[in-house]
Amino acid sequence: MNLERALYYKENMERLMRTERLFLNNPVLITGLGLAPIVVAATSLNNALILGLAVLLLLTPTRLLAAFLSRYSYMRFRGVVYTLSAALLYIPVYLIERAVFGVGLSMVGLYLPLLVVEPIIIKRYERPQLEPMGMALRKGIATTGGFLMALFLVATLREFLGAGSLFGHVLVKAAPFPLAGSTAGGFILVGLMAAFWRWLRNLFKKYVNMEAKREI
């Protein structure tokens, strides 16, 4: 790492810890958002595709629509605005999902419609400040990217450990950790991953500080 980059990370680390959504502040593994669909329904990569497409089509548009409508509503109704925005946009999202996956939607059960009230999509309403449209777009895309990365990482591990397969294709005859396919196993696996993720984040922070001092 060169001096310029090391100093940039060192000087902006606290801000990056709050705003960077892929690694330093992943919405699932660091913030703990979106756990319900990942822990319960993301047991395979096929399920992850269903959930991932829904979040991709729902999260950022909901944030944009709610940010716009919030300008014309009272603060006390902000939660209603975000939830109704998600519910309204869920209708075309569901039609797209049904056209793409058909009966496969039953594999994720009620966790697809429950995305309408999932905190990762509507949590922004808790902040009193109105969100500019540009910021809503940027943060929506960043949060979606962080969620999708965690979703597919968890689903890959759970399908391989729980069933010994990927996308339904058997790779090993005996599943390494069958419990991974259950809800309890999902909690255990996500908890271990979150702990490991935080350890990596702290390790990265220490590395940046060491590099900055060494280069100076």
Side-chain angles (χ1 to χ4, degrees), residues 34-202:
L35 289 178
I38 285 185
V39 166
V40 180
T43 56
S44 68
L45 283 169
N46 288 325
N47 288 3
L49 284 176
I50 296 173
L51 291 170
L53 178 61
V55 171
L56 179 66
L57 297 176
L58 192 60
L59 195 154
T60 302
T62 294
R63 194 155 182 162
L64 284 169
L65 179 60
F68 174 74
L69 295 178
S70 293
R71 285 158 171 73
Y72 306 100
S73 65
Y74 293 106
M75 175 60 191
R76 69 182 65 181
F77 300 124
R78 192 79 60 80
V80 176
V81 170
Y82 272 76
T83 303
L84 288 179
S85 297
L88 178 65
L89 292 170
Y90 176 77
I91 297 172
V93 169
Y94 175 76
L95 294 176
I96 294 172
E97 290 266 326
R98 189 174 65 176
V100 174
F101 298 106
V103 296
L105 293 183
S106 62
M107 299 301 295
V108 298
L110 55 78
Y111 287 93
L112 188 62
L114 278 180
L115 289 176
V116 169
V117 291
E118 172 56 48
I120 197 170
I121 292 177
I122 65 171
K123 185 175 175 59
R124 177 59 180 75
Y125 81 85
E126 295 177 353
R127 298 184 181 181
Q129 301 86 2
L130 290 175
E131 187 174 39
M133 298 295 289
M135 184 179 295
L137 177 62
R138 292 193 302 272
K139 290 190 174 182
I141 292 174
T143 303
T144 300
F147 176 84
L148 292 180
M149 183 178 68
L151 171 67
F152 283 101
L153 181 58
V154 171
T156 299
L157 290 175
R158 292 185 71 183
E159 183 174 0
F160 178 74
L161 294 175
S165 63
L166 291 177
F167 282 114
H169 300 290
V170 177
L171 300 180
V172 294
K173 293 183 179 180
F177 183 55
L179 184 63
S182 67
T183 301
F187 270 113
I188 294 172
L189 184 61
V190 172
L192 291 174
M193 290 177 62
F196 180 68
W197 206 269
R198 286 180 177 272
W199 177 76
L200 287 178
R201 186 177 74 155
N202 291 334

